[in-house]
Amino acid sequence: MKAEKNFPLVRCAGVAKRYRKGSLWVTPLESLDLEVPRGEFLALMGPSGSGKTTLLNLVSGIDSPSEGRIDIGDIAVHELSRRKLAAWRARHVGYIFQLYHLIPVLSAYENVELPLLPDGQSKRDRRERVEAALSLVGLADRMHHFPRELSGGQEQRVAIARALVADPELLVADEPTGDLDRESADSVLALLRNLAEEQQKTIIMVTHDPKAAAAADRLLHLEKGRLLEDQHVK
Amino acid sequence: MLPFTYAVRNLSRDRSRLVQSILGSALVVLLVMGAHAMNAGMTRSLQSTASPRNVLLLGAGSEESMQRSEVSEQAAGIAETSLAGVESVLGQRAVSPEIVHMATLLTGEGQELRGLVRGVTSKAMLVHPEMVIQEGHFPGPGELLVGRLAWRRLDVSPETLAVGEVLTFDGVDLRVSGVLAAPGTVMESEIWMPLQDLRTFAQRDTVSSVAIRLREDAEVADVQLFTRQRLDLELSAVSETEYYAKLARFYAPIRTMTWTTAILIAAAAVFGGLNTLYAAFASRVRETATLQAIGFSRFVILISLLQESLLISMAGTLLGAVIARLLLANRVLPFGAGAIELDLEPSTLVVGLIAGMLLGFIGTLPPAFRCLYPPLPQTLRD
Ligand SMILES: Nc1ncnc2c1ncn2[C@@H]1O[C@H](COP(=O)(O)OP(=O)(O)OP(=O)(O)O)[C@@H](O)[C@H]1O
Ligand SMILES: [Mg+2]
């Protein structure tokens, strides 16, 4: 079954996540419903501990829900085993972290190449894609630099290239500008904006920065594990 | 798969850890190879001393110890003349009456040497055809024949026992007349003298044993039958193989001790290594979590971590083997009644290699487990 063009890419229904903490149960998310259409750039805000990262992890298949269902495209992600999830993530989701999480012993090129390795493409195909991704984030000339030789903003752009390179339909970003100065943050936001508009990427971005949130199509607030508002920024 | 370069570059993250781990694995490999070489040498020396065609006549009831055994003059004489199935060389029957005696000799400098002295006749050479006089000649009255490695067992310089040197036994000067070689056997670390001389020194009219070389077609059972028919001679026949096998069993505790010591020290090194690996992998928890988030399975990451550790342990193995070669090859160690010559046999190298591999594997699994097992959302936060 091929999903229709205007069918939401991300569909969460009645999703809950619970953790055991000693004898207590922590419930970062409760009966959450969320739909994100293809090509939408969604911003998530909320106080610390409100469950934002937990939600991103669920949507990106890094974690599994305690209750409810999560469909991404035509895949029921909540039903996949840990091993299948890893393979699914490699193809369908790009994860962008606040602290970039680049591998320090690999060059920018090698970092961006990583998501392509499990797929077994030829070296030449990989090279084309890596170079295209690095050009897209404006770092084609820094290919052979190591993370320690890059600025924070450049590192984050390499991380975005890494998230993009396998051409996933979904990008999730956890405070991608949280550690950057204004100028670098603006260039990262412009880049994300551009990806949503030009490449029809669906982006879910957690942020504490209202200015970052303003770059998105839509803003949601998470409070104590529940979605409170649904504001259309644009 | 993760690129091999990832494993290789990870090595250079912490130079001191790298050096430490290589030295640690080298130590373990060296110890394991040392213990193996020692035991192999021990076994080899006892095995090559024993010839399957040789039988020992010992006093009944003293089958375990040549030193305690007494064989009467008469019994030795009858065996020498009338036993069937004995090999003969140029008309001489290969029957060698021998005395072994714990003696104290004085060197020219007055140093006391305590060791086994064996009294023999020239027929000893017929029973042990692998023995050769490497230098000098067979001892006549007032002379001594020293084993090639006797100096090592007696803990003196080789010159002390060189041909022409004089040793004093109960106030009598004895000259070293020759050097005996019988590669791999315990006899190489003995001192020999004429049977008659030792009989006088030891003041005994019995001998300790009679060594006999059988014809190819004869069997130990024939000799045993003889001792049972002539109970009056109070003899017992033991094949040399059996005698030395018993001796080897007697040394089993030493063997166990060598291995225990080696394994204990190795275990300490492994725990030290585990600790540094724990620390090294712990500092990479978030990184391996990132790799999982990107889509690498835990198994693939484990393979990469194993590659990294195996590179280290194989470098250590190489170093350990080189040190073992410098330290152990052709080294002679005193042991029990003899000395053993260490040699780096292929089996020792293989054992060292396996130890190195196991070290790499087993040492990696617990730290890797701690790094890879916890749930991904948790490790990504670290
Ligand atoms: N693996 C876990 N085990 C136990 N509790 C957890 C786990 N993961 C998250 N939590 C709890 O769930 C709640 C929500 O955490 P989450 O990281 O989703 O918040 P957040 O909105 O991302 O906060 P921040 O803005 O600080 O990043 C917190 O109370 C946290 O302690
Ligand atoms: Mg968070």
Side-chain angles (χ1 to χ4, degrees):
Chain A
M1 179 189 93
K2 190 81 194 150
E4 279 176 49
K5 195 81 188 142
N6 54 0
F7 205 69
L9 178 74
V10 178
R11 281 158 289 142
C12 301
V15 167
K17 182 69 194 177
R18 283 183 214 98
Y19 291 109
R20 235 194 129 89
K21 235 183 198 161
S23 57
L24 291 174
W25 284 94
V26 189
T27 312
L29 288 180
E30 254 183 292
S31 59
L32 180 138
D33 299 311
L34 172 67
E35 294 195 343
V36 187
R38 270 166 215 282
E40 182 176 64
F41 184 178
L42 172 70
L44 269 179
M45 292 184 85
S48 183
S50 56
K52 304 182 297 293
T53 299
T54 305
L55 179 57
L56 283 195
N57 285 346
L58 290 176
V59 166
S60 59
I62 278 175
D63 208 348
S64 298
S66 314
E67 251 173 54
R69 59 178 299 145
I70 299 174
D71 294 271
I72 311 288
D74 43 17
I75 301 291
V77 175
H78 59 284
E79 287 172 352
L80 298 183
S81 64
R82 192 168 165 162
R83 175 172 279 266
K84 283 203 171 135
L85 272 178
W88 175 79
R89 279 197 302 270
R91 284 171 171 274
H92 299 279
V93 194
Y95 206 122
I96 300 160
F97 304 89
Q98 176 178 356
L99 296 173
Y100 337 127
H101 290 201
L102 295 180
I103 309 296
V105 296
L106 299 180
S107 68
Y109 181 95
E110 289 161 336
N111 264 286
V112 175
E113 193 185 22
L114 283 173
L116 301 176
L117 295 175
D119 239 16
Q121 308 175 12
S122 77
K123 200 170 174 134
R124 174 201 289 245
D125 286 354
R126 291 205 304 266
R127 160 157 309 201
E128 253 170 45
R129 284 176 161 236
V130 172
E131 287 177 355
L134 280 167
S135 305
L136 192 69
V137 300
L139 286 174
D141 55 336
R142 297 296 160 96
M143 249 189 316
H144 301 297
H145 288 220
F146 283 85
R148 63 170 182 281
E149 300 164 336
L150 299 171
S151 72
Q154 290 171 330
E155 279 196 73
Q156 191 59 296
R157 271 146 60 201
V158 172
I160 292 174
R162 183 176 69 184
L164 277 176
V165 73
D167 200 21
E169 50 272 58
L170 178 64
L171 291 179
V172 298
D174 200 347
E175 298 184 42
T177 58
D179 220 49
L180 300 179
D181 58 54
R182 191 71 256 164
E183 202 180 324
S184 307
D186 285 344
S187 94
V188 163
L189 288 169
L191 183 58
L192 292 176
R193 180 75 256 142
N194 188 281
L195 288 170
E197 265 166 23
E198 314 261 301
Q199 310 215 4
Q200 291 300 298
K201 299 288 180 207
T202 308
I203 302 175
I204 305 179
M205 174 181 74
V206 165
T207 184
H208 282 297
D209 174 13
K211 232 188 135 195
D217 298 321
R218 183 159 66 121
L219 171 61
L220 288 180
H221 279 270
L222 206 55
E223 199 106 23
K224 293 193 181 127
R226 290 171 185 275
L227 284 172
L228 281 190
E229 290 166 56
D230 192 338
Q231 291 183 352
H232 281 268
V233 178
K234 294 190 176 158
Chain B
M1 284 292 139
L2 278 160
F4 188 58
T5 46
Y6 177 58
V8 175
R9 285 192 209 153
N10 275 331
L11 293 176
S12 63
R13 284 187 162 192
D14 185 342
R15 297 281 152 86
S16 67
R17 167 177 91 92
L18 180 64
V19 171
Q20 215 177 324
S21 325
I22 291 182
L23 291 181
S25 4
L27 174 68
V28 171
V29 169
L30 177 64
L31 281 169
V32 169
M33 286 180 71
H36 184 267
M38 249 178 92
N39 285 321
M42 226 182 272
T43 310
R44 193 179 40 217
S45 108
L46 291 174
Q47 268 170 0
S48 40
T49 303
S51 156
R53 278 175 61 189
N54 286 5
V55 187
L56 295 172
L57 287 181
L58 295 163
S62 309
E63 296 85 355
E64 311 266 313
S65 162
M66 212 177 277
Q67 261 173 280
R68 271 193 292 126
S69 157
E70 302 217 27
V71 174
S72 70
E73 193 77 43
Q74 181 211 8
I78 291 175
E80 242 177 306
T81 51
S82 61
L83 197 62
V86 174
E87 176 84 310
S88 95
V89 182
L90 301 171
Q92 276 196 300
R93 282 161 61 80
V95 175
S96 164
E98 298 175 3
I99 294 178
V100 289
H101 181 72
M102 191 52 87
T104 306
L105 303 172
L106 282 180
T107 66
E109 288 99 51
Q111 195 184 347
E112 283 192 1
L113 306 181
R114 201 169 149 69
L116 270 190
V117 176
R118 191 184 291 262
V120 293
T121 63
S122 61
K123 287 186 158 185
M125 304 301 280
L126 302 180
V127 177
H128 299 285
E130 74 277 14
M131 293 192 305
V132 289
I133 307 279
Q134 177 180 282
E135 200 188 333
H137 59 83
F138 198 83
E143 291 182 332
L144 296 171
L145 181 68
V146 297
R148 183 172 66 97
L149 303 177
W151 61 273
R152 186 65 189 83
R153 208 191 88 59
L154 295 169
D155 205 17
V156 292
S157 67
E159 299 80 51
T160 316
L161 300 180
V163 172
E165 289 297 313
V166 172
L167 299 176
T168 315
F169 188 3
D170 278 355
V172 181
D173 282 352
L174 302 172
R175 219 182 122 264
V176 175
S177 72
V179 174
L180 169 78
T185 72
V186 294
M187 285 152 199
E188 286 201 305
S189 45
E190 294 180 350
I191 292 187
W192 287 13
M193 65 178 2
L195 185 68
Q196 279 312 332
D197 283 9
L198 191 56
R199 207 195 288 272
T200 314
F201 282 118
Q203 297 176 342
R204 58 191 279 175
D205 43 21
T206 59
V207 295
S208 306
S209 65
V210 179
I212 298 160
R213 186 167 187 80
L214 295 177
R215 281 203 313 265
E216 204 116 34
D217 57 346
E219 290 192 18
V220 180
D222 301 339
V223 185
Q224 281 167 339
L225 184 64
F226 166 79
T227 60
R228 253 178 271 126
Q229 282 166 344
R230 293 295 309 265
L231 287 175
D232 58 307
L233 298 178
E234 296 183 330
L235 288 178
S236 179
V238 187
S239 78
E240 230 178 47
T241 323
E242 197 186 325
Y243 180 82
Y244 283 105
K246 279 214 182 107
L247 211 57
R249 243 172 284 148
F250 174 74
Y251 287 116
I254 299 185
R255 218 175 277 252
T256 316
M257 228 174 63
T258 348
W259 276 113
T260 314
T261 313
I263 288 170
L264 280 181
I265 301 177
V270 168
F271 276 109
L274 272 183
N275 255 337
T276 48
L277 260 195
Y278 264 123
F281 287 1
S283 70
R284 302 215 299 255
V285 167
R286 206 183 63 186
E287 185 173 321
T288 52
T290 304
L291 289 170
Q292 289 185 68
I294 288 174
F296 290 98
S297 70
R298 289 188 282 182
F299 177 72
V300 165
I301 301 169
L302 176 65
I303 299 279
S304 179
L305 294 178
L306 279 174
Q307 284 174 343
E308 186 183 332
S309 311
L310 282 176
L311 281 172
I312 293 178
S313 67
M314 286 299 102
T317 304
L318 198 67
L319 181 64
V322 169
I323 299 176
R325 161 116 195 99
L326 296 177
L327 230 55
L328 301 179
N330 305 317
R331 177 162 296 257
V332 183
L333 294 178
F335 116 93
I340 46 173
E341 199 169 12
L342 296 184
D343 193 12
L344 281 196
E345 301 174 19
S347 68
T348 306
L349 283 172
V350 169
V351 166
L353 193 68
I354 291 174
M357 296 263 261
L358 280 182
L359 194 63
F361 263 104
I362 296 174
T364 309
L365 293 180
F369 184 82
R370 212 174 70 162
C371 191
L372 294 175
Y373 184 74
L376 197 45
Q378 187 184 318
T379 47
L380 271 177
R381 271 169 211 271
D382 274 5

